[in-house]
Amino acid sequence: MSRSSIHARPVPGGRIAYVNGRYLPHREACVHVEDRGLQFADSIYEVCAVIDRRLMDEEGHLDRLERSLAALAMPMPMARSALKVVMREMIARNRLKDGLLYLQVTRGAFRRDHAIPAAKRSTLIATMRSFNLAAVAKRRAEGISVVTASDIRWGRCDIKTTGLLANALAKTEARKKGAFESWLVDRDGFVTEGASTNAWIVTGEGVLVTRSLSPNILAGVTRLGVLSALAAHGANAVEERVFTVEEAKSAREAFITSASGGVLPVTTIDGRTVGDGKPGPTTLRVHTLYSEFAQATAKA
Ligand code: PLP
């Protein structure tokens, strides 16, 4: 792949990345070959949506960044307030109205050794790319297809590490089968989550079901936003519990949540139609409530 082909759409003036204190043209930004993020996926990341130049769910993403770092005994690369300045600077320098802002913190570059070094020397990377809101709106209007795959990930999926190979393989299988997302299934036949999204179903009684938090899933910031928005409106009952693939296939509705897509209806699972095969009213209501919540908490 040529270097330029990874750029979704060119930012006027060129994309800008941030690496350890420097803002650089995206193509010139790089890290050391012995960076532990590269060698061991000894690194964590966050993805935050920027809509109309405002950060969505910023505090939720920074809370989770701190939790992921703490779980791996990595220090914050800088104070939270300074990180917020970098995030805003990235939005300004990339001159993007709508985009996705990526933050990555690695343990830094050290002579290669599996054992984690005692010294603290983190690498902070930020990148930004454009966000095709029209493509997301199309997916929401039409619904997306999901296929299922074995969840072969490690036991700490609650830490948002860049060790995403199992997720990437599952997403690739989905794309090969013409689906948008893979739902990962544990050894007992229960759905854990999507390759890069949280999984939800709506039962025949209108109850929203999503798996409860544990080391087996990522605590999605959008998942939390949806729960908060629903609680604030006293809307539909929610059960945080496991569900099987079979329960999902016979559910009234299903949907996924993520920072990059918000709430997206699932209309088929492994080729089987969910409900009447159209984005359902409960899902679209959840989308509306979450969007209002996200707009109200968005920060410039
Ligand atoms: N689950 C996984 C495995 C993810 O990678 C993601 C997002 O990247 C999510 C769930 C959704 O999380 P969020 O809503 O914070 O984007």
Side-chain angles (χ1 to χ4, degrees):
M1 186 193 289
S2 77
R3 278 188 147 190
S4 59
S5 65
I6 60 170
H7 301 290
R9 260 192 285 147
V11 174
R15 285 172 82 190
I16 300 296
Y18 171 95
V19 186
N20 284 340
R22 296 172 69 204
Y23 295 93
L24 302 155
H26 192 272
R27 65 184 172 282
E28 288 168 24
C30 50
V31 294
H32 196 281
V33 284
E34 291 215 287
D35 193 286
R36 289 183 63 91
L38 173 64
Q39 296 286 345
F40 299 106
D42 190 358
S43 53
I44 63 100
Y45 77 110
E46 277 299 325
V47 184
C48 205
V50 175
I51 297 179
D52 218 1
R53 295 189 185 84
R54 295 189 310 159
L55 285 153
M56 299 286 139
D57 280 324
E58 181 186 28
E59 300 299 338
H61 286 285
L62 291 177
D63 287 347
R64 189 173 58 191
L65 182 98
E66 289 187 358
R67 282 203 308 276
S68 296
L69 288 171
L72 297 175
M74 277 198 230
M76 274 285 271
M78 58 177 64
R80 189 163 167 140
S81 52
L83 204 46
K84 289 181 176 179
V85 172
V86 171
M87 291 163 84
R88 280 156 184 77
E89 195 62 30
M90 283 293 289
I91 298 171
R93 290 188 187 232
N94 279 283
R95 290 189 243 158
L96 278 174
K97 187 169 153 294
D98 306 310
L100 290 174
L101 180 59
Y102 289 77
L103 293 177
Q104 186 178 343
V105 184
T106 86
R107 206 178 297 269
F110 293 88
R111 185 186 163 89
R112 193 174 190 283
D113 183 6
H114 281 63
I116 290 173
K120 310 278 186 216
R121 190 193 292 166
S122 57
T123 300
L124 171 62
I125 302 165
T127 56
M128 196 167 174
R129 68 171 173 83
S130 59
F131 188 28
N132 191 343
L133 282 178
V136 176
K138 187 167 185 284
R139 279 183 211 120
R140 186 162 303 112
E142 293 174 358
I144 58 129
S145 295
V146 156
V147 290
T148 57
S150 296
D151 193 343
I152 59 167
R153 299 174 301 161
W154 74 323
R156 288 303 307 272
C157 299
D158 55 321
I159 306 173
K160 197 167 168 70
T161 79
T162 60
L164 291 170
L165 187 54
N167 308 58
L169 290 171
K171 188 77 91 175
T172 305
E173 276 309 302
R175 296 289 156 84
K176 278 187 193 159
K177 293 175 179 164
F180 180 72
E181 179 61 305
S182 249
W183 274 8
L184 308 175
V185 183
D186 69 16
R187 285 196 198 139
D188 301 315
F190 296 113
V191 174
T192 49
E193 61 183 330
S196 63
T197 57
N198 287 112
W200 299 69
I201 58 170
V202 182
T203 69
E205 291 74 43
V207 178
L208 299 174
V209 183
T210 194
R211 191 166 173 133
S212 51
L213 297 185
S214 75
N216 297 327
I217 68 165
L218 185 74
V221 173
T222 318
R223 175 190 180 281
L224 181 61
V226 164
L227 291 174
S228 309
L230 288 168
H233 283 83
N236 297 61
V238 179
E239 286 176 10
E240 291 182 63
R241 62 160 171 87
V242 290
F243 58 86
T244 62
V245 174
E246 207 37 56
E247 185 180 3
K249 286 179 181 170
S250 30
R252 196 161 81 188
E253 297 177 31
F255 62 93
I256 56 173
T257 54
S258 70
S260 55
V263 177
L264 290 179
V266 172
T267 46
T268 72
I269 301 173
D270 289 336
R272 185 145 135 212
T273 302
V274 178
D276 64 3
K278 298 197 195 93
T282 304
T283 301
L284 296 178
R285 171 104 180 109
V286 171
H287 160 65
T288 304
L289 292 180
Y290 171 70
S291 300
E292 286 167 7
F293 168 86
Q295 289 295 337
T297 54
K299 291 211 198 121

